[in-house]
């Protein structure tokens, strides 16, 4: 796949991230692609839904499973604006996704190389990982959100 | 907490594991305790619901968040019959659980020491981990399930 095709799908994931920000959630967005078609979308709803498992990747994985009628998302690629955390890296492996393509690196919680690379741990399924697609713009969405949040001082900074 | 109190809650988790087995899912069960009360229960529904994120821990975490009206499961303990996988270990940290107490070790996918100990990775929340509570019985439930499954030959052994 050409790099600009990755960028096109990451644009769609960015639109999802903006939905999260609009609801007051840390802006991360994801889409899942099967063939040449987006079959599922998700964005972080942790605060809005009071559910710690409501990350963009999990939301997209659950929707894709409904669409395909199977928990095995074989030959599917997940695009996400932020490097996956431990939970989401695990969910990506559990769902048998073929590939994860992410935007911004997360030095605090990113588990695809930043804090650790859990995709390299022994598992019965291997996922190809590509990082840094539209990295600047994916990072800007987060920086803008946190700058506004500091200004509003309406959130607990320890999370 | 006395060890036999851990065993009492693990008995409840075992009942949940049996529900999974009855539906044809790998038998893992979980309960979440807040104070001296079970506030949520979950069992593996991956096959029944065609959702790779439908592990016992995730189901229990989502229910506990609904009960408490918060994604932060502070001062809550999760009892689960099987050592958590990568996804569930991540979800346990994300949900800010105080403690995870598990039964059987999982040499293939267990991430609380068997394959790796991801609870030791740098994170902004630390979870206390206790393994091996009612280990034999929690393992027997799994061994019985897989023995029956091999006999039935109705499942794909590669999963």
């Amino acid at each position: 796949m050409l790099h600009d095709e990755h960028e096109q799908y990451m644009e769609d994931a960015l639109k999802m991230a903006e939905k999260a920000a609009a609801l007051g959630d840390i802006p991360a967005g994801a889409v899942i692609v099967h063939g040449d078609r987006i079959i599922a979308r998700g964005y972080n709803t942790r605060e809005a839904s009071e559910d710690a498992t409501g990350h963009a990747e999990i939301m997209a994985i659950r929707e894709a499973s409904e669409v395909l009628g199977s928990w095995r998302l074989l030959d599917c690629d997940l695009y996400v604006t932020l490097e996956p955390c431990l939970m989401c890296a695990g969910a990506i492996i559990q769902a048998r996704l073929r590939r994860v393509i992410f935007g911004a690196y997360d030095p605090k919680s990113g588990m695809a190389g930043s804090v650790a690379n859990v995709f390299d741990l022994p598992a019965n399924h291997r996922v190809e990982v590509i990082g840094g697609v539209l990295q600047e713009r994916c990072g800007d969405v987060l920086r803008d959100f946190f700058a506004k949040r500091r200004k509003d001082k309406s959130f607990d900074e320890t999370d």
Side-chain angles (χ1 to χ4, degrees), chain A residues 3 20-21 24 26 34 40 44 47 64 66 89 99 113 122 126 129 143:
Chain A
H3 195 69
I26 294 172
H34 185 230
N44 181 27
E47 302 290 341
E66 272 187 42
R99 204 156 46 169
R126 305 302 295 178
V129 181
R143 281 183 285 273

Side-chain angles (χ1 to χ4, degrees), chain A residues 3 6-14 17 27-31 56-57 78-85 92 99-107 110 112-114 119 129-143:
Chain A
H3 195 69
H6 284 327
E7 292 186 354
Q8 276 173 33
Y9 288 125
M10 195 61 78
E11 294 277 1
D12 291 294
L14 270 165
V31 298
E57 298 94 318
L78 184 142
Y79 290 79
V80 58
T81 56
L82 183 62
E83 185 180 358
C85 74
I92 286 162
R99 204 156 46 169
V100 55
I101 300 98
F102 69 87
Y105 287 84
D106 183 352
S114 291
F119 290 100
V129 181
I130 299 167
V133 173
L134 297 187
Q135 182 173 354
E136 277 302 308
R137 286 186 47 213
C138 290
D140 284 346
V141 171
L142 287 158
R143 281 183 285 273

Side-chain angles (χ1 to χ4, degrees), chain A residues 33-49:
Chain A
V33 175
H34 185 230
D36 56 358
R37 196 166 68 90
I38 293 176
I39 60 163
R41 298 164 201 267
Y43 54 91
N44 181 27
T45 59
R46 184 180 69 170
E47 302 290 341
S49 66

Side-chain angles (χ1 to χ4, degrees), chain A residues 33-154:
Chain A
V33 175
H34 185 230
D36 56 358
R37 196 166 68 90
I38 293 176
I39 60 163
R41 298 164 201 267
Y43 54 91
N44 181 27
T45 59
R46 184 180 69 170
E47 302 290 341
S49 66
E50 290 290 358
D51 177 3
T53 73
H55 284 194
E57 298 94 318
I58 305 279
M59 302 307 284
I61 285 170
R62 300 184 80 208
E63 187 175 298
S65 301
E66 272 187 42
V67 169
L68 296 181
S70 172
W71 63 262
R72 293 175 184 84
L73 305 182
L74 302 174
D75 302 321
C76 291
D77 298 333
L78 184 142
Y79 290 79
V80 58
T81 56
L82 183 62
E83 185 180 358
C85 74
L86 194 60
M87 171 178 72
C88 293
I92 286 162
I93 296 166
Q94 285 292 338
R96 312 285 194 264
L97 281 152
R98 180 176 65 176
R99 204 156 46 169
V100 55
I101 300 98
F102 69 87
Y105 287 84
D106 183 352
K108 199 173 140 197
S109 307
M111 291 293 167
S114 291
V115 173
N117 187 355
V118 296
F119 290 100
D120 272 352
L121 288 171
N124 62 355
H125 177 73
R126 305 302 295 178
V127 180
E128 186 188 344
V129 181
I130 299 167
V133 173
L134 297 187
Q135 182 173 354
E136 277 302 308
R137 286 186 47 213
C138 290
D140 284 346
V141 171
L142 287 158
R143 281 183 285 273
D144 291 350
F145 176 81
F146 285 112
K148 187 174 180 306
R149 194 163 91 159
R150 274 192 297 274
K151 214 168 135 193
D152 295 347
K153 289 187 182 171
S154 59

